[in-house]
Amino acid sequence: MAMTMSGEVVLPADQQTVWEKLNDPEVLKRCIPGCESLEKVGENELQASAKVAVGPVKATFKGKVMLSDIDPPNGYRISGEGQGGVAGFAKGGAAVRLEPVEGGQTKMTYDVDASVGGKLAQLGGRLINGVAKKYADGFFDTFAKEVQGGQPSA
């Protein structure tokens, strides 16, 4: 089952700061909901593990994340694929663009395309899209706090 999502958020920091945080595995690990580990294993490759719950299906997904089309400090494409055992699989990517806006802030736009299979795909699009939006909102809320230099809320 395929899904897409796009949006934008204005972050309270300059473009270079946002770029640096967006490329810091420790920052991303703190911001990604359910992320248990995120480690750099190559020049533009990360190994990830995250606990995900979608309705009654709970699983730990493990997989690789790759960065491509890297254009510092303007953006990149992030793509990945993860296996969640009997829960199924997820794969997809996102194009992320940064641009400066008034007041020393940065606008981040994103276009996500993803697909899921297995038990997850059987849950239905509305539930999966709702959970995906919740996870995205959680990421950006925490990431905004990170770029401000503040501690994210628990």
Side-chain angles (χ1 to χ4, degrees):
M1 184 180 97
M3 64 180 170
T4 59
M5 182 172 38
S6 62
E8 65 181 47
V9 61
V10 175
L11 298 165
D14 64 88
Q15 186 174 354
Q16 186 62 39
T17 299
V18 173
W19 176 255
E20 289 168 7
K21 300 280 187 181
L22 202 55
N23 284 280
D24 183 335
E26 284 303 311
V27 170
L28 293 176
K29 179 181 172 187
R30 290 191 297 268
C31 295
I32 298 168
C35 188
E36 295 180 322
S37 69
L38 186 64
E39 299 166 12
K40 194 168 186 166
V41 294
E43 178 67 27
N44 297 313
E45 189 175 328
L46 302 159
Q47 189 78 32
S49 173
K51 278 193 175 174
V52 178
V54 181
V57 178
K58 294 172 181 49
T60 299
F61 282 82
K62 296 177 190 280
K64 285 196 170 161
V65 178
M66 303 285 292
L67 302 179
S68 59
D69 301 332
I70 300 168
D71 177 21
N74 303 308
Y76 58 48
R77 176 151 183 82
I78 184 167
S79 54
E81 192 169 331
Q83 296 293 326
V86 296
F89 71 89
K91 65 181 176 178
V96 179
R97 302 295 306 160
L98 303 176
E99 64 182 86
V101 293
E102 284 184 38
Q105 297 185 331
T106 303
K107 180 169 77 169
M108 178 192 299
T109 57
Y110 58 92
D111 290 295
V112 177
D113 58 273
S115 61
V116 296
K119 281 188 179 181
L120 283 175
Q122 297 170 1
L123 294 175
R126 286 177 56 191
L127 177 61
I128 291 172
N129 285 335
V131 171
K133 182 175 178 352
K134 181 179 144 198
Y135 276 79
D137 289 347
F139 171 85
F140 287 112
D141 180 52
T142 307
F143 189 72
K145 290 180 178 114
E146 283 279 344
V147 299
Q148 271 184 295
Q151 290 301 312
S153 56

